[in-house]
């Protein structure tokens, strides 16, 4: 795939996963649903690569383990915990800081220069989502809300560390497909261990809606979505790829407009415009003399 196609695919896939996540809310605990998701995703990736004769053992395992913990385990536990405490719109605004976190972390771990346009684009994106979810930001700063904000920030930071691990894996010759396949399996095993420690039973939900949503989240949202995203990280860098986190809430609200009757406001429309301007700033190529 070309880079623009990878970016559009990532934004569209992650922007539609909210529908499947909403279908899973109910009797099954969040930690169990996340375990089901990555257990199925890991099984699909490992089996699929083995059948195609493309399953490889990573030359170096330690960054695959870091990627597994940061992208397919701990970050989701933090973000889902945050969503249970504060509005999802606020979590989306915090998660949109991923591109800025990525820029800072590439400076810390790889010595890359932080480009001014990255900070400007990230700021425009955050401002855009702030306008988009303005009503969700009107929360009381009580201890529960502050904990939710803390969990969302920690989840975003851990996600960014996973991006750094993916970049390191690529530099060591471990492809995103290989790292994802083994990483999702390791993430599922870690989640299972946490469930055993907490004595959390594996609930088997009834009805086809849950299992259909699970299949979409595992195969499309995880196997395809994370692969396209990490290919972007490999090609254009983590800061630019991270801007996808600004755009997928817009896709989610567009879908909500079509299926749930979401009504756009003037501030929401202005937020989309700001996010679009940030996208232009992030990806414009300015010629140097």
């Amino acid at each position: 795939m070309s880079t623009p196609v990878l970016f559009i695919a990532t934004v569209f896939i992650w922007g539609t996963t909210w529908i499947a996540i909403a279908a899973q809310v109910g009797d099954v605990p969040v930690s169990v649903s996340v375990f089901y998701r990555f257990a199925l995703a890991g099984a699909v990736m490992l089996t699929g690569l083995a059948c195609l004769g493309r399953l490889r053992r990573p030359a170096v395992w330690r960054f695959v383990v870091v990627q597994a913990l940061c992208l397919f385990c701990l970050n989701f536990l933090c973000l889902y915990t945050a969503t249970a405490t504060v509005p999802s719109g606020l979590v989306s605004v915090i998660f949109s800081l991923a591109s800025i976190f990525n820029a800072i972390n590439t400076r810390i771990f790889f010595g890359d220069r932080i480009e001014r346009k990255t900070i400007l684009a990230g700021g425009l994106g955050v401002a855009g989502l702030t306008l988009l979810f303005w009503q969700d930001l009107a929360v009381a700063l009580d201890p529960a809300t502050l904990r939710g904000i803390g969990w969302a920030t920690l989840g975003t930071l851990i996600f960014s560390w996973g991006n750094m691990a993916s970049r390191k894996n690529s530099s060591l010759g471990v492809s995103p497909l290989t790292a994802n396949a083994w990483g999702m399996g390791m993430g599922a095993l870690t989640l299972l261990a946490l469930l055993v420690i907490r004595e959390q039973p594996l609930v088997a939900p009834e009805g086809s809606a849950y299992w259909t949503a699970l299949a979409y989240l595992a195969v499309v949202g995880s196997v395809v979505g994370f692969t396209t995203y990490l290919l972007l990280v490999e090609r254009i860098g983590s800061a630019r790829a991270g801007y996808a986190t600004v755009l997928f809430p817009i896709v989610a609200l567009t879908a909500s407009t079509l299926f749930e009757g979401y009504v756009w406001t003037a501030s929401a429309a202005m937020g989309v415009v700001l996010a679009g301007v940030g996208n232009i700033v992030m990806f414009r190529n300015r010629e140097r003399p």
Side-chain angles (χ1 to χ4, degrees):
M1 291 185 184
S2 65
T3 299
V5 172
L6 285 173
F7 188 83
I8 292 171
T10 302
V11 172
F12 177 79
I13 289 170
W14 283 0
T16 54
T17 53
W18 72 273
I19 301 174
I21 292 173
Q24 289 192 311
V25 175
D27 297 332
V28 181
V30 166
S31 55
V32 175
S33 290
V34 175
F35 163 70
Y36 286 155
R37 174 178 178 173
F38 287 110
L40 179 57
V44 168
M45 285 207 77
L46 289 169
T47 303
L49 291 178
C51 292
L52 293 172
R54 298 184 60 185
L55 183 60
R56 304 286 184 270
R57 290 172 58 87
V60 179
W61 283 94
R62 61 182 179 274
F63 294 106
V64 176
V65 174
V66 174
Q67 181 174 324
L69 295 176
C70 292
L71 290 186
F72 312 126
C73 181
L74 300 179
N75 62 321
F76 275 95
L77 293 178
C78 291
L79 292 171
Y80 276 72
T81 301
T83 305
T85 308
V86 297
S88 59
L90 178 56
V91 177
S92 294
V93 172
I94 296 172
F95 192 54
S96 69
L97 293 169
S99 60
I100 297 177
F101 279 16
N102 284 350
I104 295 172
N105 281 325
T106 53
R107 174 64 178 176
I108 294 172
F109 293 107
F110 300 101
D112 292 359
R113 182 172 62 90
I114 299 177
E115 297 183 356
R116 284 179 293 180
K117 72 174 184 179
T118 299
I119 302 299
L120 176 59
L124 287 170
V126 173
L129 288 190
T130 299
L131 287 175
L132 194 62
F133 295 108
W134 183 252
Q135 294 180 341
D136 285 349
L137 303 185
V139 295
L141 293 180
D142 54 26
T145 300
L146 292 176
R147 284 196 299 271
I149 292 172
W151 281 115
T153 304
L154 179 60
T156 306
L157 180 60
I158 293 173
F159 172 81
S160 179
W161 289 339
N163 285 223
M164 301 304 106
S166 177
R167 172 172 168 174
K168 188 65 177 178
N169 282 324
S170 295
S171 69
L172 293 172
V174 181
S175 71
L177 278 174
T178 299
N180 281 0
W182 293 104
M184 288 179 185
M186 292 177 185
L189 289 175
T190 303
L191 288 166
L192 179 60
L194 292 175
L195 292 175
V196 171
I197 292 172
R198 295 172 57 189
E199 298 182 351
Q200 175 68 61
L202 295 179
V203 180
E206 298 180 358
S208 60
Y210 181 94
W211 296 107
T212 302
L214 175 63
Y216 184 82
L217 286 170
V219 179
V220 180
S222 298
V223 173
V224 182
F226 271 102
T227 300
T228 56
Y229 175 75
L230 293 178
L231 283 171
L232 277 175
V233 171
E234 186 179 52
R235 290 188 186 183
I236 65 176
S238 53
R240 299 174 77 188
Y243 201 79
T245 62
V246 172
L247 299 181
F248 79 75
I250 297 174
V251 174
L253 287 185
T254 302
S256 180
T257 303
L258 297 175
F259 300 109
E260 296 181 337
Y262 173 78
V263 178
W264 290 80
T265 63
S267 63
M270 181 59 68
V272 172
V273 171
L274 279 180
V277 172
N279 187 74
I280 294 172
V281 171
M282 179 68 79
F283 291 100
R284 69 175 179 173
N285 291 319
R286 184 172 57 187
E287 293 184 0
R288 296 176 179 273

